[in-house]
Amino acid sequence: MRDNNKLNVGDIIKYLMITSIVGCILLVFVGYFLKSFNLLCAGMVILLIHNLLYACAQLKTRIWFLILQITIFTFLISRPFIEMLRGNKWWESRQLASESIYFSINLILISLFALYVGAVIGEYVLKAEPISKDKKDGKKVFQENLQVVSMVAYYITMCFFLVQEGEKLVFMQGKTYVEFYSEFQSQLPGIVISIAALMKYSLCIYLATFPNKKRTFVALAFFEISAIPQLIIGMRNPIMLNSLFILLYYFLRDILGDKKKWIGKIERILLMIGIPFSFIFMSVYAYIRSGMKIAETNIFRLFIDFFYGQGVTFDVLGIAYGYRYSLRAREWRNYTFGGIIDYIIHGRIGQMLWGTEALPSINCVENGTLSNNLGHNFAYMYLKEDYLKGRGYGSSYLIENYVDFGYIGVAIFSLILGILLVYMLRRFGRNTLIDTIVLGSLTTIFFIPRAEATGWLTFIVTAQFWIGIAACYLGAYICTKLKWIQRVLCFLKLYPKE
């Protein structure tokens, strides 16, 4: 009986998927023919629902695909969809040319469909691959030593990171959050900043060794706390991304079949309460950080207001489309791989080989004109003086792909991304180094609907990441070879317990 119920649910989902894809095609076709933005918006939403149904059909292996669909809705679809439900002529309030609105819808439709096709291809290629955490990259003793070394490295680097964040809080006394983007430059010694940069990488190494639940909870609690200083400054994204990363790691440990349940009754209750509360709090905080009076007091409206506020990236696509020729003006400029290019050209390598100068971390003319960061370049063109005062709109993988490679670039990038979201999960647990890279990517990959296309991968080319890897692996190797160190670690009770 239970098997039949599962089969029936699966059949229903398949039927709904077929219905939704057909409905999307009809709505989009009629929408373009009648020039109806509402029909096109409805088509976007139905295609998104199709992808959500696909993810929910096998949530265990498609959870990362599901999360990206949710962030695409949050940052790209929510605002026009909410206004459509309110009965507003949202295309008029956008103050954009019809061509720009069609362009934004085209990008979203292409990406949603390509993401789905990519996920299907990824699952087809990996259909015989079981999910497991049977690592092949070393003996158990080395793995345990790596866990201890990376744990110690994490807590040490976390201290330096908190010092770095404390400097920001001191700087922000009597200032507004936008001034942080235009004025703040760290005065700490370079060694402090370099060690602080290792915090996230040492955490990912540690988590890739699969520590027990109690130790993991403590480590991730500190990781969550580390984002509070930026929240106080006015940045909501870091704590939201950290929270999402923690949630996904807990899901991941359950998926990998740990003996201990990671998402139990208590965790489910906390999620049911915490998720809506977080959205409401972030909506309220948007008013607080701007010094404005809270416009809504109704909890449901505050919940909707959160999504409406985040949906500004839909407008960014249309506005940036109007600057597409200017954004392409400089020769050899590339936004899709902008972070990697800027690190190589303006980092230590570029400074030694080509005599370039480091790019500042604030909104400035250099970032607005010389960098390969579309968020800076676009804001400098569109906002001018307001950009130099700290304002900005962010970016999106969609507009970066389009400016660099056109519609075909959007399709190919989304296709590859869909494959990776399935591949990374199905292959997780087999190699600690690869798992570390995957976990590092998970800290920011779901933010790409309103951020850099490959910002989640830039860390792979940085010296800090590989220094962190080398230090932890070397430390684990030394501990493995020197028995007296192992005895000391045992005495200190640092080794994990089964």
Side-chain angles (χ1 to χ4, degrees):
M1 181 67 70
R2 192 171 295 175
D3 290 338
N4 290 335
N5 288 336
K6 287 186 177 179
L7 180 63
N8 291 336
V9 171
D11 288 342
I12 292 172
I13 291 177
K14 289 179 181 178
Y15 175 77
L16 291 174
M17 285 177 61
I18 294 172
T19 303
S20 59
I21 200 72
V22 171
C24 171
I25 293 171
L26 290 174
L27 284 171
V28 170
F29 178 78
V30 176
Y32 279 119
F33 180 76
L34 299 178
K35 297 182 179 180
S36 170
F37 291 125
N38 271 343
L39 289 179
L40 292 173
C41 181
M44 280 194 306
V45 173
I46 290 179
L47 182 55
L48 177 74
I49 292 172
H50 166 272
N51 287 4
L52 292 173
L53 289 169
Y54 170 76
C56 291
Q58 293 184 29
L59 191 59
K60 183 177 179 180
T61 57
R62 300 170 185 171
I63 181 66
W64 295 351
F65 180 83
L66 173 70
I67 297 299
L68 184 62
Q69 304 307 303
I70 293 173
T71 56
I72 286 175
F73 171 78
T74 302
F75 298 124
L76 295 170
I77 301 177
S78 60
R79 180 170 289 195
F81 178 62
I82 290 170
E83 289 213 32
M84 182 184 73
L85 293 181
R86 289 172 174 171
N88 298 333
K89 295 182 178 181
W90 56 270
W91 54 93
E92 293 181 357
S93 62
R94 300 280 71 80
Q95 296 181 348
L96 296 171
S98 295
E99 182 184 5
S100 297
I101 297 177
Y102 282 125
F103 165 77
S104 300
I105 293 172
N106 289 341
L107 288 189
I108 296 171
L109 288 171
I110 290 171
S111 183
L112 286 174
F113 183 71
L115 282 166
Y116 165 68
V117 173
V120 171
I121 293 173
E123 289 208 332
Y124 178 79
V125 172
L126 293 168
K127 61 183 179 180
E129 293 282 353
I131 298 175
S132 76
K133 59 172 183 175
D134 181 22
K135 291 183 179 295
K136 309 295 185 182
D137 64 344
K139 297 179 180 179
K140 183 178 180 180
V141 173
F142 177 83
Q143 194 73 9
E144 289 180 345
N145 285 318
L146 180 61
Q147 184 175 127
V148 173
V149 170
S150 58
M151 178 182 69
V152 173
Y154 169 63
Y155 287 115
I156 291 174
T157 54
M158 174 60 79
C159 293
F160 283 82
F161 183 81
L162 292 176
V163 169
Q164 177 182 272
E165 298 303 288
E167 182 196 22
K168 297 175 183 177
L169 289 177
V170 172
F171 170 83
M172 288 300 295
Q173 297 299 313
K175 293 183 173 64
T176 61
Y177 83 98
V178 294
E179 291 178 284
F180 175 83
Y181 294 102
S182 61
E183 297 180 15
F184 177 77
Q185 295 193 61
S186 179
Q187 303 301 314
L188 292 173
I191 186 65
V192 175
I193 298 173
S194 297
I195 295 176
L198 301 177
M199 182 274 288
K200 187 181 292 186
Y201 309 136
S202 56
L203 172 64
C204 291
I205 298 170
Y206 177 57
L207 296 178
T209 64
F210 299 107
N212 63 44
K213 188 175 180 180
K214 183 178 179 180
R215 289 190 173 188
T216 300
F217 174 82
V218 175
L220 291 177
F222 274 102
F223 185 58
E224 183 80 344
I225 291 170
S226 70
I228 292 178
Q230 294 189 66
L231 179 65
I232 295 172
I233 290 171
M235 303 179 203
R236 298 176 297 175
N237 296 327
I239 198 166
M240 295 297 286
L241 288 173
N242 285 12
S243 301
L244 180 59
F245 174 77
I246 293 169
L247 175 62
L248 288 176
Y249 185 76
Y250 267 64
F251 269 115
L252 182 61
R253 293 297 296 269
D254 262 346
I255 290 171
L256 291 172
D258 266 39
K259 295 178 182 179
K260 195 175 186 71
K261 191 71 174 175
W262 284 68
I263 305 289
K265 184 177 180 180
I266 295 176
E267 287 81 10
R268 289 192 183 97
I269 293 173
L270 290 174
L271 285 174
M272 292 175 62
I273 297 172
I275 291 176
F277 174 79
S278 298
F279 290 154
I280 293 169
F281 172 77
M282 290 302 167
S283 180
V284 171
Y285 192 68
Y287 293 104
I288 295 174
R289 71 176 184 176
S290 301
M292 299 169 57
K293 183 179 178 181
I294 299 174
E296 294 286 355
T297 56
N298 183 287
I299 292 179
F300 177 75
R301 289 180 179 176
L302 283 171
F303 185 81
I304 299 299
D305 194 45
F306 168 81
F307 287 97
Y308 184 84
Q310 294 298 316
V312 69
T313 309
F314 180 88
D315 295 351
V316 172
L317 297 181
I319 298 170
Y321 177 72
Y323 289 85
R324 61 194 181 281
Y325 299 118
S326 299
L327 289 169
R328 295 171 181 159
R330 195 181 77 209
E331 193 174 8
W332 303 113
R333 178 177 289 179
N334 184 280
Y335 296 114
T336 301
F337 303 98
I340 296 172
I341 294 170
D342 283 342
Y343 180 81
I344 294 173
I345 294 178
H346 296 281
R348 293 292 178 85
I349 297 174
Q351 293 171 35
M352 290 188 295
L353 295 179
W354 305 297
T356 57
E357 294 184 1
L359 291 172
S361 59
I362 59 175
N363 290 13
C364 58
V365 175
E366 290 84 358
N367 274 325
T369 58
L370 300 178
S371 73
N372 287 273
N373 185 300
L374 187 139
H376 281 291
N377 287 190
F378 164 63
Y380 181 70
M381 293 176 187
Y382 180 59
L383 297 174
K384 302 295 184 182
E385 292 300 319
D386 283 341
Y387 162 76
L388 298 176
K389 293 178 182 178
R391 298 288 180 182
Y393 275 116
S395 184
S396 174
Y397 76 100
L398 293 177
I399 191 64
E400 292 185 358
N401 296 162
Y402 175 80
V403 170
D404 291 333
F405 308 113
Y407 284 118
I408 188 66
V410 175
I412 293 174
F413 183 88
S414 299
L415 186 77
I416 295 172
L417 186 59
I419 294 172
L420 285 176
L421 289 172
V422 173
Y423 181 84
M424 291 191 300
L425 180 55
R426 293 293 290 267
R427 295 291 298 178
F428 196 89
R430 299 166 188 268
N431 182 284
T432 303
L433 177 58
I434 299 300
D435 291 348
T436 300
I437 293 173
V438 170
L439 289 172
S441 301
L442 286 182
T443 59
T444 53
I445 190 173
F446 300 107
F447 196 52
I448 63 172
R450 69 169 303 167
E452 299 86 353
T454 56
W456 52 281
L457 273 180
T458 302
F459 72 93
I460 293 179
V461 302
T462 64
Q464 293 95 326
F465 174 71
W466 293 107
I467 288 172
I469 292 290
C472 289
Y473 271 72
L474 179 60
Y477 176 79
I478 293 172
C479 290
T480 303
K481 291 299 181 181
L482 301 179
K483 300 298 182 182
W484 67 269
I485 295 181
Q486 294 181 40
R487 289 194 290 269
V488 171
L489 295 176
C490 284
F491 176 77
L492 295 174
K493 298 182 179 180
L494 291 178
Y495 278 114
K497 294 181 180 179
E498 294 295 336

